Amino acid sequence: MVTLLQPGAPFSKRVSGAGLWRVRRSDPGRTFYCAVLEGLCRLAVTGSAPVTLQKGDFVLIPSALEFMVSSVEPPKGKRDPAHVMLPDGEIRHGDPSAAPDVRMLVGHCVFASPDAHLLVSLLPRFVHVRGERRLATLVELVREESREQRPARDVILSRLLEVLLIEALRSSAGTAASPGLLRGLADERLSVAIRRMHERPTQAWTVAQLAKEAALSRSAFFERFNRAMGVAPMEYLLGWRMALAKDLLRRKQEVTVAEVAEQVGYSSASTFSVAFTRHVGLPPTHYAREQAAS
């Protein structure tokens, strides 16, 4: 998933808050992240219960809808307090003269993959990682680098944030996630079946076979998978196969439709072409030509 997404984090800014403050955002389709460098703040994502973020926390919202970041006790009223830019370039929300209650590095991620929309749809709507030692170490490195005015600071920060993003995407233990891949992989039974689909996409999987891999009954597996992943098992498998197919068509100029079909688990090129066209909206050959042209 991470390899196919080709993640990067080129857009970031240092933000602090003091007193009572609030920021609302509504950026459909954009991937928002926040690394808490010190202090506490409150995050409320539409459809999820508000959470208090603390030093070392990392938040990822793969397809940002409406969310609000504020002081632990949000200000009254509907109007958000003004913000200013401090002399060192930091954005201050709330009281510009007071000591900050929180410092964060926030920004938008980008995914170089043309298939990002499909892949992001398989991720949870909201990821909050806490207590991961490796991730906390990365956040600390980001904090140190963001405070220093050393040469190539922006380049170093961009690379650190890319690693931080990848670490967040592959973290599962200790992750509070809405339905999606991370939550599925955190389930010791479901993770076996999910990894089998990833490892052997060419196998003619059935729900019964996947349930057997997970050591669950067919009905229990189907219900548990739907609840954790947000999609049915065969729907997830189809999405994974199509993501792999698009990656092959994009990267290998000489690959044939029959070869792609074989590598993603279809018995014939015609069956694969029908499924690909229905899922993507273009026949495989047209998709490959479009990608080569762009």
Side-chain angles (χ1 to χ4, degrees):
M1 287 287 290
V2 172
T3 302
L4 290 174
L5 277 170
Q6 303 172 51
F11 311 112
S12 65
K13 60 183 178 182
R14 291 175 299 126
V15 174
S16 62
L20 296 179
W21 58 277
R22 177 176 56 215
V23 182
R24 302 177 220 250
R25 290 287 180 268
S26 179
D27 300 315
R30 300 189 77 177
T31 300
F32 169 82
Y33 70 86
C34 169
V36 183
L37 308 179
E38 55 187 74
L40 301 171
C41 66
R42 182 179 185 267
L43 172 67
V45 180
T46 300
S48 302
V51 294
T52 299
L53 305 180
Q54 63 187 41
K55 179 181 176 180
D57 283 9
F58 186 80
V59 168
L60 179 69
I61 307 176
S63 186
L65 299 174
E66 292 185 7
F67 63 94
M68 179 179 75
V69 185
S70 70
S71 48
V72 176
E73 182 64 35
K76 307 253 184 228
K78 295 183 178 180
R79 189 171 182 177
D80 297 340
H83 66 272
V84 298
M85 181 178 286
L86 301 180
D88 62 357
E90 184 174 275
I91 304 297
R92 167 61 62 86
H93 293 280
D95 188 344
S97 59
D101 302 311
V102 66
R103 273 201 171 94
M104 304 169 284
L105 199 67
V106 304
H108 291 286
C109 306
V110 295
F111 299 118
S113 170
D115 203 29
H117 177 72
L118 168 65
L119 294 167
V120 168
S121 73
L122 300 176
L123 294 172
R125 291 181 68 249
F126 171 48
V127 179
H128 174 206
V129 185
R130 172 179 290 171
E132 291 285 330
R133 182 182 58 81
R134 286 166 56 85
L135 197 132
T137 300
L138 285 166
V139 171
E140 182 62 23
L141 288 171
V142 168
R143 186 184 73 83
E144 290 177 2
E145 191 64 37
S146 66
R147 293 177 66 178
E148 300 294 332
Q149 296 292 334
R150 292 185 289 190
R153 184 185 69 168
D154 291 343
V155 176
I156 297 296
L157 272 176
S158 177
R159 298 297 181 268
L160 284 173
L161 286 166
E162 286 174 18
V163 177
L164 189 59
L165 172 60
I166 292 169
E167 189 67 31
L169 285 172
R170 70 181 190 177
S171 294
S172 55
T175 299
S178 58
L181 183 61
L182 299 190
R183 191 156 142 188
L185 290 173
D187 185 309
E188 60 180 14
R189 295 288 186 88
L190 295 181
S191 64
V192 177
I194 294 168
R195 289 194 170 97
R196 293 293 179 273
M197 285 189 271
H198 289 180
E199 293 163 1
R200 303 202 294 268
T202 57
Q203 187 161 325
W205 291 109
T206 64
V207 174
Q209 290 172 331
L210 291 168
K212 186 177 179 180
E213 294 285 345
L216 293 167
S217 70
R218 187 185 183 283
S219 59
F221 171 75
F222 188 86
E223 181 183 349
R224 193 158 160 175
F225 193 100
N226 266 288
R227 189 169 58 249
M229 299 286 285
V231 294
M234 292 299 101
E235 186 180 347
Y236 177 78
L237 179 60
L238 173 64
W240 180 248
R241 284 172 169 167
M242 291 299 107
L244 294 175
K246 291 172 81 173
D247 186 57
L248 286 168
L249 290 167
R250 188 168 58 247
R251 289 190 299 107
K252 298 184 177 180
Q253 300 298 317
E254 304 303 321
V255 71
T256 66
V257 172
E259 289 170 336
V260 175
E262 183 180 0
Q263 291 186 53
V264 298
Y266 285 84
S267 57
S268 70
S270 59
T271 305
F272 165 69
S273 293
V274 170
F276 188 93
T277 303
R278 184 183 300 121
H279 195 82
V280 178
L282 286 174
T285 50
H286 292 185
Y287 176 82
R289 279 200 296 269
E290 278 197 0
Q291 294 301 308
S294 62

